[in-house]
Amino acid sequence: MKPLGPIPSGFAVIDGELAIGGCKASDLVAEAGSPLFVYDGALVTARVAALRAALPERLGLHYAMKANPFAPLLRHVAGLVDGFDIASGGELAMAEAAGVLAARISFAGPGKRDEDLEAAISRGVTLNLESAREAERALAIGERLGCAPRLAIRVNPDFDLKGSGMKMGGGAKPFGVDAAAVPALARRIIASGAEWRGLHIYAGSQTLDAAAIAEMQAATIALAARLAEESGAALPACNLGGGFGIPYFPGDLPLDLAAVGAALGEQFAALPDVLHGTAFCIELGRYLVGEAGVYLTRIVDRKESHGEVFLVTDGGLHHQLAASGNFGTVVRRNYPSAIATKFGLAPEEEASIVGCLCTPLDRLADKGGFPRAEEGDLVAVFCAGAYGASASPVHFLGHGPAAERLVNPRA
Ligand SMILES: *Cc1c(COP(=O)(O)O)cnc(C)c1O
């Protein structure tokens, strides 16, 4: 038997079934269909409250909306955080539709087209510039539109986040401007009359190690101070990136948020002069929404092959690619999963939960221990609130998208 990842807290058993935000899995599926992503707004609200309690008051909290752009969830999160970080023109439209003010949006990401820059500049969105050429195009568009663009520089730092699942900094990267080239570009932007918005330094994602995050934040603040000095201008704002991970796999432990907050508090207490007036923020995706989502899928077939049990579902990697181990992981390990209609029962047998796609990659749980499940039972895959529906190849094999529901939306 292979171990399963740890089931996040915040879920209950009602009538022997998994309940999400107080709603039984079978009731949710009866209403919305299967497969179904369910997000519990109350868990997102609680997560934001925990962050606010642990982190210095001075630190703004942004949502990196590529983690989950489901419209009702965006509206929910918009009421909780200080800003949204977007990475495309499409995300700009979705953020605005969710009621996020353009002044609270910043736009990073390589390959911004002129039409994306124009939409952002005309609305007053802050651009996190990814290159010197992008800066020139943004300045030209601002001139043509007759408005001063709000410009920050995304820095490609000389370090990365230790223990990070996805390295975004250090060495040659398509993201950001190499640190050494930042001061000259900052001076160019300030001299042009654009609104200087400071720096965005993102060094990596998905770490569970508080000390690694503290070390990265200290290095980020030191780099920001050095670049501000070398640019000869104070920094109005500095986005410290993110990197806060969630436990997905057997043995993973939650991030020690209090330790991260305490270390950042010490950093803020000892800021160099050039950063005294700087507005700091972090940008989080999965940490805000990942554990609040569950993917529910119905068992269509139960079969045995060479003595192994396969529970074949109507879902799969076309909705939840990450759980199949094919989204940026090197070794396949099991996400937390359970038989939702027999939640909390002791494991009785070893079974693999597979999807309905005709590829051996489509495995949601490999040789896990589960209570005996039959056709009609529901499977729950946890940690499905981030990089699920929107980061999976939904058109592959033509089964169509999963439904999505938000329970406990903010009033
Ligand atoms: C994806 C991304 C994030 C969010 O990453 P998570 O691991 O979901 O927290 C934050 N900032 C930038 C620049 C990103 O590209």
Side-chain angles (χ1 to χ4, degrees):
M1 219 139 24
K2 294 187 184 169
L4 302 169
I7 293 176
S9 56
F11 299 99
V13 186
I14 299 182
D15 300 339
E17 273 192 44
L18 170 67
I20 305 160
C23 309
K24 284 197 287 183
S26 63
D27 289 345
L28 289 161
V29 165
E31 185 260 322
S34 170
L36 171 67
F37 283 95
V38 185
Y39 313 115
D40 183 354
L43 292 180
V44 178
T45 303
R47 181 50 62 97
V48 171
L51 283 158
R52 300 274 193 206
L55 298 171
E57 210 175 317
R58 171 172 189 164
L59 186 71
L61 189 58
H62 288 195
Y63 178 49
M65 70 170 271
K66 79 174 189 294
N68 190 331
F70 181 52
L73 184 75
L74 290 184
R75 285 195 291 276
H76 182 88
V77 175
L80 299 171
V81 300
D82 305 305
F84 269 45
D85 289 315
I86 63 167
S88 73
E91 286 191 348
L92 173 55
M94 288 190 270
E96 287 201 303
V100 183
L101 297 175
R104 297 203 296 147
I105 299 176
S106 52
F107 185 176
K112 301 183 193 78
R113 299 168 301 178
D114 282 352
E115 54 263 47
D116 304 323
L117 295 173
E118 183 167 333
I121 291 168
S122 63
R123 286 168 176 74
V125 166
T126 294
L127 290 168
N128 292 330
L129 298 166
E130 302 276 352
S131 76
R133 274 300 304 151
E134 191 174 275
E136 293 307 324
R137 287 194 291 127
L139 290 172
I141 288 167
E143 201 150 301
R144 178 158 55 73
L145 297 176
C147 63
R150 297 187 155 150
L151 302 180
I153 299 173
R154 177 166 177 183
V155 182
N156 175 21
D158 298 323
F159 52 83
D160 61 19
L161 173 57
K162 294 209 181 92
S164 166
M166 236 176 253
K167 296 207 184 332
M168 304 287 287
K173 287 284 179 305
F175 311 109
V177 175
D178 289 350
V182 167
L185 185 59
R187 286 194 293 270
R188 158 84 181 113
I189 289 167
I190 294 163
S192 76
E195 187 179 330
W196 172 232
R197 297 301 306 149
L199 301 175
H200 171 215
I201 307 177
Y202 178 76
S205 132
Q206 178 54 23
T207 187
L208 297 169
D209 181 349
I213 290 182
E215 192 183 313
M216 173 199 69
Q217 289 181 334
T220 302
I221 290 169
L223 176 61
R226 175 162 70 77
L227 295 175
E229 294 282 3
E230 291 176 11
S231 313
L235 278 192
C238 181
N239 180 334
L240 298 173
F244 295 28
I246 61 173
Y248 285 106
F249 301 118
D252 282 357
L253 294 173
L255 179 65
D256 182 350
L257 209 50
V260 174
L264 191 56
E266 284 173 25
Q267 287 290 323
F268 282 177
L271 284 178
D273 284 349
V274 72
L275 298 181
H276 268 167
T278 303
F280 288 94
C281 69
I282 53 169
E283 49 181 1
L284 302 178
R286 76 185 77 230
Y287 196 79
L288 293 184
V289 297
E291 289 171 283
V294 181
Y295 178 61
L296 296 173
T297 175
R298 192 183 291 289
I299 297 173
V300 175
D301 195 9
R302 178 193 163 92
K303 61 186 282 188
E304 286 186 27
S305 171
H306 290 270
E308 290 186 23
V309 176
F310 290 89
L311 304 171
V312 186
T313 67
D314 61 5
L317 71 74
H318 54 309
H319 302 145
Q320 190 42 315
L321 182 66
S324 76
N326 294 291
F327 189 62
T329 40
V330 183
V331 182
R332 193 205 177 289
R333 288 175 294 168
N334 283 322
Y335 263 43
S337 59
I339 307 300
T341 36
K342 298 187 169 158
F343 195 53
L345 293 189
E348 292 170 302
E349 65 176 8
E350 180 183 295
S352 291
I353 299 170
V354 299
C356 55
L357 302 191
C358 213
T359 157
L361 299 179
D362 194 9
R363 198 171 278 234
L364 296 172
D366 186 38
K367 297 182 180 168
F370 297 102
R372 187 185 163 95
E374 308 289 346
E375 283 171 31
D377 275 321
L378 295 172
V379 163
V381 180
F382 295 88
C383 294
Y387 308 110
S390 71
S392 300
V394 67
H395 295 298
F396 189 35
L397 276 153
H399 290 283
E404 294 180 89
R405 287 289 183 278
L406 175 70
V407 297
N408 292 322
R410 274 176 103 245

